[in-house]
């Protein structure tokens, strides 16, 4: 059995959770997740990312609908919407900044997922949603793109890990 420190444990055992208990999350736990989001790397440390925390039932229902009716989203007590700020790093990085903004935001998403797991919370990275609808629901300005919805709650299931592709995706030295 491979020995694992806490970081590797979280990487190994975090799963996408699609069934949540009816239990609120404390304000301090939400702060832990937002801090984890802040601590992710970003291009030039410009942090071209923004987070909308949706807790109201109506808001969560609307997001579930915008996410192509993935109804489990509304069962989570909060949904964190990670967004890319498409202009923050543009002056420094020009055309490359669009890609960086997406990476800044998604690096934060991964931190949120792992931090949540480490404090007993479950999450699911939701990428399937109508971008225009989400932007309109959340009043996002033109230069802010939603990149992932992250429902967060106490897990009410313990899925096993879906299989990975393994060595098929490893290319040493060259393709
Ligand atoms: C970019 C991206 C988009 C995803 N979109 C969805 C989604 O819309 N709905 C969903 O239930 N899961 C979604 N997932 C979660 C994946 O289905 C899940 O990560 C994958 O099956 C592996 O399972 P695991 O997270 O438990 O390891 C998404 C994950 C990523 C990274």
């Amino acid at each position: 059995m491979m020995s694992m420190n806490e970081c590797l444990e979280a990487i190994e055992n975090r799963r996408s959770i699609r069934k949540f208990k009816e239990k609120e999350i404390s304000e301090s736990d939400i702060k832990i997740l937002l801090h984890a989001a802040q601590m992710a790397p970003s291009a030039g440390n410009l942090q071209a990312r923004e987070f909308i925390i949706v807790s109201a039932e109506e808001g969560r229902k609307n997001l579930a609908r915008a996410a192509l009716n993935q109804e489990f989203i509304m069962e989570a007590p909060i949904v964190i919407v990670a967004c890319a700020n498409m202009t923050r790093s543009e002056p420094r990085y020009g055309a490359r900044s669009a890609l960086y903004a997406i990476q800044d935001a998604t690096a934060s998403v991964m931190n949120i997922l792992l931090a949540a797991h480490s404090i007993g919370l479950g999450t699911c990275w939701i990428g399937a949603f109508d971008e225009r609808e989400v932007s309109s629901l959340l009043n996002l300005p033109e230069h802010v793109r939603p990149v992932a919805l992250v429902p967060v709650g106490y897990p009410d299931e313990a899925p096993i890990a879906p299989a990975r592709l393994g060595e098929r995706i490893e290319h040493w030295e060259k393709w």
Side-chain angles (χ1 to χ4, degrees):
M1 170 101 174
M2 186 171 47
S3 94
M4 280 199 275
N5 64 29
E6 285 175 19
C7 178
L8 293 175
E9 183 286 325
I11 290 171
E12 188 69 22
N13 295 326
R14 174 215 57 83
R15 291 278 70 75
S16 291
I17 298 300
R18 301 182 178 87
K19 213 167 177 300
F20 299 99
K21 292 190 173 137
E22 256 184 68
K23 183 180 173 191
E24 294 303 313
I25 305 175
S26 71
E27 189 93 17
S28 59
D29 280 355
I30 297 173
K31 288 286 182 204
I32 288 172
L33 302 185
L34 294 174
H35 180 69
Q38 294 270 4
M39 294 312 290
S42 66
N45 196 33
L46 292 179
Q47 304 158 55
R49 54 197 173 206
E50 315 278 345
F51 303 92
I52 320 281
I53 298 91
V54 178
S55 59
E57 190 180 357
E58 185 66 17
R60 290 182 285 121
K61 269 189 189 165
N62 289 338
L63 286 176
R65 200 172 312 124
L68 319 180
N69 294 313
Q70 299 188 68
E71 295 197 351
F72 72 90
I73 294 170
M74 74 175 102
E75 309 300 340
I78 65 160
V79 181
I80 300 175
V81 182
C83 303
N85 183 319
M86 305 305 290
T87 52
R88 186 166 294 143
S89 54
E90 211 268 335
R92 192 185 304 178
Y93 294 123
R96 201 87 187 133
S97 66
L99 180 58
Y100 290 167
I102 306 284
Q103 292 180 71
D104 290 1
T106 48
S108 286
V109 171
M110 199 62 239
N111 269 16
I112 292 171
L113 267 48
L114 292 173
H117 173 83
S118 78
I119 57 172
L121 293 167
T123 56
C124 188
W125 184 319
I126 304 289
F129 57 86
D130 182 316
E131 184 170 334
R132 271 203 224 184
E133 204 176 326
V134 169
S135 299
S136 142
L137 285 169
L138 302 178
N139 269 347
L140 299 183
E142 213 32 36
H143 66 284
V144 173
R145 281 187 74 179
V147 299
L149 315 184
V150 183
V152 187
Y154 285 92
D156 200 16
E157 62 171 352
I160 55 163
R164 269 31 183 188
L165 294 174
E167 291 181 358
R168 280 168 61 195
I169 60 167
E170 293 176 11
H171 311 271
W172 292 64
E173 318 305 346
K174 285 187 179 182
W175 184 269

